[in-house]
Amino acid sequence: MKISTGKGTISLPVLLAIWSVSAVTSLPGLAVSPILGDLNTIFPSASDLEIQMLTSLPSLLIIPFVLLSGKLSVGRDKLRILVVGLVIFLLSGIACLFIRNITALILVSCILGIGAGMVIPLSTGLVVAYFTGEYRVRQLGYSSSINNLTLVLATALSGYLANIDWHLSFLVYTLPAVSLVLSPFLHRQRSTPEPAASDQMRNKTIDRPKLVRLMALYFFITYAALTITFYAAFLVDGYHLPKTFSGVLISLFFLAIMAPGLILDRIIGIFKGYTNVAAIAMIGAGLFCFGIFRDRGMLVVGASLAGFGYGLMQPLIYDKTAIIAPPRAATLALSFVMAVNYLAIMLCPFLIDTFTRLTALHGDRVPFLLNGMLTAGLALLAFRRRDDFTLGLDASYYKR
């Protein structure tokens, strides 16, 4: 079976190898989440600082190694970097299965973060290298869907395994073994050079002003959308709903992120130049559903809308990032954009808490109403600047 790439064809095993890397990038931190509430019991002598380090330090290390991987990819063998990152990730994950003290777990989790950081930019970098034009947009959508579907399934699996034995939750970190098994297919069939007529070939270097604007946009929509994952539990508790309902909302949020990638070209065909406007408006509407309504139905609608809007914008931002860089530097440009994603994840609760302290606003609805208003403002700006490269979507995306 041959898969069209816009510049030739690739075999199905090569496509599966690319998809498997997309699945791996959603794993960091998943195994620790189900045991967070039990860490004081599992490690009775662990300090609060050590517990905080276990949850935050590996994520912090991902960011510089995402950037390092992007830098190393320029003029070097991307597949070698990928394999090194996967091996570090896999061996660290296996080691976590046998660790008995929190200091060792922190150390190994940090090494795992290093491996994950090396792999993350290549998950989209491989798509950009092997595909072009509308084929690349479609595959970036599939990559986003696979990433988020794996996130939901792996979270459920790690939670189930943690109920048997806390060590078993780290089995989800062995998924890179699949990518390693499939990686020889990438070596056998290398990516074809970008066609001379490609938008990428117009660039001699990365267009830095456009890159900065794309980074800012991605940072903001990630920060705004993740309000749901960080604050849904507090809102549900304040509404006196079952505590498990927050987990349902967060799962729906990530499933909704997955959905647009499966039909990305059809959605673009519907909204055309207003695609980003619609996506940003969906995120804002979803946040307002959380901030205004109390019933379960509207909370479900809110989680679905915010997730769908975010999932619609994510692959488009990746594709635009590829367009503004020459082929040899595309992964480097993507590494900057993907790094701000992790930066937004880390800073989201701190930014919201800082704002609430400065304004003396309190209440479980405040984070949702605040970011809903900011997102509504961005949607209005996107409507007024719908011909802009960053906030708009030109006709090349839907007149094909």
Side-chain angles (χ1 to χ4, degrees):
M1 181 178 179
K2 295 296 183 181
I3 314 297
S4 296
T5 65
K7 48 184 180 179
T9 60
I10 57 173
S11 65
L12 180 59
V14 172
L15 180 63
L16 292 176
I18 295 171
W19 284 355
S20 71
V21 178
S22 298
V24 166
T25 58
S26 64
L27 297 178
L30 280 185
V32 176
S33 298
I35 62 173
L36 280 178
D38 301 319
L39 284 174
N40 287 321
T41 304
I42 296 170
F43 304 109
S45 60
S47 66
D48 290 341
L49 176 60
E50 287 175 318
I51 292 174
Q52 290 170 1
M53 289 174 65
L54 178 60
T55 56
S56 61
L57 195 55
S59 298
L60 182 61
L61 280 173
I62 285 177
I63 296 174
F65 280 90
V66 165
L67 297 172
L68 177 62
S69 178
K71 181 64 176 177
L72 291 175
S73 70
V74 180
R76 291 180 175 83
D77 188 352
K78 295 180 179 65
L79 298 183
R80 183 176 298 176
I81 299 169
L82 174 66
V83 170
V84 171
L86 289 170
V87 169
I88 294 172
F89 197 142
L90 177 61
L91 293 179
S92 302
I94 293 172
C96 288
L97 292 168
F98 304 100
I99 287 173
R100 292 290 182 269
N101 68 81
I102 193 166
T103 303
L105 188 58
I106 292 170
L107 177 61
V108 175
S109 295
C110 288
I111 297 173
L112 186 143
I114 291 171
M118 295 178 68
V119 172
I120 286 167
L122 295 169
S123 63
T124 48
L126 287 173
V127 175
V128 171
Y130 278 88
F131 295 88
T132 193
E134 63 184 293
Y135 298 92
R136 180 174 63 212
V137 176
R138 190 177 302 124
Q139 287 297 327
L140 285 170
Y142 293 155
S143 174
S144 176
S145 296
I146 291 167
N147 182 293
N148 288 286
L149 180 60
T150 304
L151 176 64
V152 174
L153 295 178
T155 299
L157 177 61
S158 63
Y160 172 77
L161 292 171
N163 287 329
I164 301 172
D165 185 306
W166 70 269
H167 285 99
L168 295 180
S169 65
F170 291 96
L171 278 173
V172 296
Y173 289 161
T174 60
L175 184 60
V178 176
S179 299
L180 283 171
V181 170
L182 292 172
S183 62
F185 292 104
L186 296 172
H187 285 278
R188 292 172 197 166
Q189 188 173 3
R190 298 278 181 160
S191 59
T192 306
E194 195 72 12
S198 170
D199 289 336
Q200 283 184 270
M201 299 303 289
R202 300 173 187 172
N203 299 293
K204 300 299 181 183
T205 60
I206 297 172
D207 188 326
R208 292 183 181 179
K210 288 182 178 178
L211 177 62
V212 171
R213 290 196 291 271
L214 286 169
M215 289 168 65
L217 176 62
Y218 197 27
F219 178 91
F220 177 79
I221 65 167
T222 301
Y223 152 77
L226 287 181
T227 306
I228 292 174
T229 65
F230 283 110
Y231 292 93
F234 300 110
L235 193 73
V236 165
D237 188 53
Y239 288 172
H240 304 292
L241 296 171
K243 292 185 177 181
T244 54
F245 188 57
S246 64
V248 172
L249 291 173
I250 293 170
S251 295
L252 284 172
F253 171 72
F254 284 111
L255 285 172
I257 293 176
M258 176 201 74
L262 301 175
I263 51 171
L264 187 60
D265 50 350
R266 296 181 187 177
I267 298 172
I268 294 173
I270 294 170
F271 290 109
K272 296 183 169 60
Y274 294 90
T275 300
N276 279 349
V277 178
I280 297 169
M282 287 179 196
I283 297 173
L287 293 172
F288 279 126
C289 284
F290 275 79
I292 296 172
F293 301 102
R294 287 178 173 268
D295 62 283
R296 299 188 194 190
M298 291 308 297
L299 294 178
V300 167
V301 170
S304 302
L305 277 173
F308 195 92
Y310 183 79
L312 178 54
M313 289 198 70
Q314 189 179 55
L316 292 176
I317 289 174
Y318 291 158
D319 186 67
K320 289 181 180 182
T321 304
I323 288 173
I324 63 170
R328 63 183 178 82
T331 302
L332 175 59
L334 285 163
S335 72
F336 281 100
V337 170
M338 299 183 86
V340 301
N341 175 63
Y342 286 90
L343 187 63
I345 293 171
M346 292 185 61
L347 293 181
C348 177
F350 298 103
L351 292 174
I352 293 176
D353 289 349
T354 299
F355 179 85
T356 54
R357 284 199 304 271
L358 291 175
T359 59
L361 293 173
H362 301 287
D364 298 324
R365 299 183 180 194
V366 170
F368 300 98
L369 293 173
L370 163 67
N371 287 323
M373 288 186 288
L374 291 175
T375 306
L378 180 62
L380 178 61
L381 179 63
F383 176 78
R384 296 182 63 180
R385 301 186 63 180
R386 55 190 178 276
D387 294 328
D388 177 71
F389 175 81
T390 305
L391 294 173
L393 202 68
D394 64 54
S396 65
Y397 280 92
Y398 48 87
K399 289 185 178 178
R400 286 167 172 159

